[in-house]
């Protein structure tokens, strides 16, 4: 971090490479567009580079970066009139292992060509848009960003039972909307 | 048999159960094909949505973000460091040395202020007292050569007893009511 502060571009590149896939995932999840995700992450990392002097290290670097990316996504969604997610509260987001990195979102990921199709993506996007803001936000925070029940509860200032309830409803609704794809398996 | 509700299934799915709870749930699932099917449906949803997002992310070429950032950096983006960092960088001073230098400066400033406060001119009462003492000394030691009244008192021209040949002009403000007439010339 000190090297980045002093303008060391190689050190900055390492920082980018360490975190880019994770923040791109967050941005693609919210914006559903790789190009827009790249735009947002580019802007986020430039903000980081220019504002690295303001980073005090009270939270992890990734928490700081994640907050910037999520807020940029929210701004973009608002400007374009698309669904808006709840503002990010940087008081949360840590996985307790001290490296500032989030846990992987879930243990079930595996390559699956059918679910990687444009058709499924479009259907999934529509299903997400069909959720209420509250249900979609909890689903994305858990499923795509890797936050725990507790972190989501702190983030949204709700209790864990509400988090589980919203997550359950989001999953049920998505299951209903995507049933014909899921039953093919 | 305890109810294998969706909340428990969800916690099972999200690895939110402790080992004992998980073992109990495994036993319940083994005896409840319908619950097992619901769990498999949830697992399919989680796998499908994660796989879809991963596929979108994979469409972003490795290094694409850095390429964009590097272009911006070449165009002149530079880290905006804090004033302290900039100051230290300018003088190449480590933080400890900078702290010691600031401490020394503060101590010097405190000494200057203390000296200045000590040298503040005396108040009217102190001036009057000093003037009175000086007048008494002159009257005891000086030979009055010439004396005449002025608006604000008397001007005395005298010669010191120690140095009779060296006349001196002394502004001697005398209160007419208290002054000994022999000393008025």
């Amino acid at each position: 971090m000190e090297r980045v502060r002093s303008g060391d571009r190689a050190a900055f590149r390492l920082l980018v490479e360490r975190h880019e896939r994770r923040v791109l995932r967050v941005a693609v999840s919210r914006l559903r567009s790789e190009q827009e995700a790249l735009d947002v992450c580019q802007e986020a990392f430039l903000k980081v580079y220019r504002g690295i002097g303001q980073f005090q290290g009270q939270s992890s670097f990734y928490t700081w970066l994640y907050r910037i990316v999520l807020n940029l996504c929210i701004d973009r969604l608002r400007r374009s009139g698309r669904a808006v997610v709840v503002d990010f509260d940087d008081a949360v987001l840590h996985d307790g292992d001290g490296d500032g990195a989030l846990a992987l979102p879930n243990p079930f990921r595996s390559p699956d060509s059918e679910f990687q199709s444009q058709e499924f993506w479009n259907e999934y996007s529509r299903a997400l848009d069909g959720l209420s803001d509250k249900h979609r936000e909890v689903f994305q925070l858990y499923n795509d960003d890797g936050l725990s029940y507790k972190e989501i509860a702190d983030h949204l200032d709700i209790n864990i039972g509400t988090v589980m309830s919203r997550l359950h409803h989001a999953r049920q609704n998505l299951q209903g909307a995507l049933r014909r794809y899921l039953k093919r398996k | 048999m305890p109810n294998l509700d969706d909340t428990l299934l969800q916690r099972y799915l999200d690895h939110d159960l402790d080992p004992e709870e998980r073992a109990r749930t495994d036993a319940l699932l083994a005896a409840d094909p319908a619950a097992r099917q619901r769990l498999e449906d949830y697992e399919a949803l989680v796998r499908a949505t994660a796989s879809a997002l991963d596929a979108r992310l994979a469409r972003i070429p490795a290094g694409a973000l850095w390429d964009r950032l590097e272009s911006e950096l070449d165009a002149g983006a530079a880290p905006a460091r804090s004033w302290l960092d900039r100051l230290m960088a300018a003088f190449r001073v480590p933080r400890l040395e900078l702290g010691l230098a600031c401490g020394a400066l503060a101590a010097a400033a405190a000494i200057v202020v203390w000296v200045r406060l000590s040298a503040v001119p005396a108040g009217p009462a102190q001036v009057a007292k000093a003037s009175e003492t000086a007048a008494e000394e002159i009257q005891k030691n000086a030979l009055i050569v010439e004396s005449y009244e002025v608006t604000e008192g008397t001007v005395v021209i005298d010669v010191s007893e120690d140095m009779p040949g060296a006349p001196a002009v002394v502004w001697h403000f005398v209160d007419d009511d208290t002054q000994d007439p022999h000393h008025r010339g």
Side-chain angles (χ1 to χ4, degrees), chain A residues 4-7 9 12-13 16 20-21 24-25 28-29 34-35 38-39 41-42 45-46 49-50 52-54 106-112 115-116 118 120-121 124 139 142-144 149 164 167-168 171-172 174-175 178 182-183, chain B residues 6-8 10-16 37-38 40-70 72-74 76-82 85 95:
Chain A
V4 177
R5 275 202 184 95
S6 67
R9 196 181 287 195
F12 181 55
R13 182 174 188 165
V16 171
E20 66 175 330
R21 299 318 281 185
L24 279 168
R25 184 182 179 82
V28 170
S29 155
E34 298 85 68
Q35 204 58 39
L38 271 172
D39 290 345
C41 290
Q42 176 186 344
F45 273 110
L46 284 173
Y49 190 63
R50 292 174 179 138
I52 197 79
Q54 276 78 55
N106 65 69
F108 300 108
R109 276 190 286 156
S110 62
D112 188 317
F115 298 138
Q116 293 175 1
Q118 183 66 41
F120 180 78
W121 178 255
Y124 175 41
F139 179 80
Y142 186 85
N143 210 61
D144 302 337
Y149 294 163
M164 292 173 68
L167 185 57
H168 174 58
R171 283 170 168 168
Q172 270 196 324
L174 289 173
Q175 261 186 339
L178 301 173
L182 301 174
K183 287 296 181 188
Chain B
D6 279 356
T7 300
L8 187 56
Q10 184 166 273
R11 291 183 62 207
Y12 183 92
L13 179 72
D14 295 334
H15 295 263
D16 189 52
Q37 182 59 52
R38 292 208 307 282
E40 286 172 9
D41 289 346
Y42 281 132
E43 286 175 344
L45 174 74
V46 171
R47 188 171 58 246
T49 53
S51 184
L53 186 55
D54 286 345
R56 304 305 292 203
L57 205 54
R59 291 161 54 141
I60 301 174
L65 182 58
W66 177 252
D67 290 345
R68 282 163 159 245
L69 286 167
E70 194 162 41
E72 289 289 329
L73 297 176
D74 288 341
R81 292 173 292 170
S82 70
D85 287 336
R95 278 179 186 267

Side-chain angles (χ1 to χ4, degrees), chain A residues 1-184:
Chain A
M1 202 60 73
E2 285 303 318
R3 286 171 57 201
V4 177
R5 275 202 184 95
S6 67
D8 184 334
R9 196 181 287 195
F12 181 55
R13 182 174 188 165
L14 285 175
L15 200 63
V16 171
E17 288 174 348
R18 182 175 178 205
H19 297 287
E20 66 175 330
R21 299 318 281 185
R22 214 175 296 150
V23 289
L24 279 168
R25 184 182 179 82
V26 170
V28 170
S29 155
R30 300 314 193 282
L31 303 169
R32 322 246 181 90
S33 154
E34 298 85 68
Q35 204 58 39
E36 284 192 272
L38 271 172
D39 290 345
V40 158
C41 290
Q42 176 186 344
E43 192 178 344
F45 273 110
L46 284 173
K47 276 178 185 281
V48 162
Y49 190 63
R50 292 174 179 138
I52 197 79
Q54 276 78 55
F55 176 61
Q56 300 298 316
Q58 287 148 346
S59 58
S60 78
F61 172 76
Y62 181 73
T63 301
W64 186 47
L65 175 63
Y66 175 84
R67 182 189 64 206
I68 293 171
V69 169
L70 203 51
N71 285 336
L72 287 172
C73 288
I74 291 167
D75 287 346
R76 194 170 274 247
L77 289 169
R78 281 188 175 138
R79 277 203 308 271
S80 65
R82 286 178 282 176
V84 171
V85 291
V86 181
D87 286 333
F88 177 67
D89 174 2
D90 63 347
V92 294
L93 193 66
H94 39 77
D95 59 357
D97 63 4
D99 69 351
L102 290 178
L104 287 174
N106 65 69
F108 300 108
R109 276 190 286 156
S110 62
D112 188 317
S113 59
E114 184 172 2
F115 298 138
Q116 293 175 1
S117 70
Q118 183 66 41
E119 182 190 349
F120 180 78
W121 178 255
N122 292 340
E123 203 63 37
Y124 175 41
S125 291
R126 269 194 292 277
L128 279 172
D129 289 341
L131 299 178
S132 71
D133 288 350
K134 288 177 178 176
H135 289 171
R136 182 176 52 253
E137 178 65 356
V138 169
F139 179 80
Q140 289 178 321
L141 287 170
Y142 186 85
N143 210 61
D144 302 337
D145 302 355
L147 271 64
S148 67
Y149 294 163
K150 172 74 167 61
E151 286 168 337
I152 296 170
D154 291 344
H155 167 34
L156 299 177
D157 197 21
I158 55 180
N159 63 48
I160 287 180
T162 306
V163 172
M164 292 173 68
S165 169
R166 289 182 186 176
L167 185 57
H168 174 58
H169 281 100
R171 283 170 168 168
Q172 270 196 324
N173 290 333
L174 289 173
Q175 261 186 339
L178 301 173
R179 189 171 304 279
R180 68 191 177 96
Y181 293 93
L182 301 174
K183 287 296 181 188
R184 285 181 198 168

Side-chain angles (χ1 to χ4, degrees), chain B residues 135-147:
Chain B
E136 285 168 3
E137 286 299 310
I138 287 167
Q139 286 165 14
K140 273 191 278 182
N141 300 326
L143 296 175
I144 296 172
V145 176
E146 192 178 349
S147 171

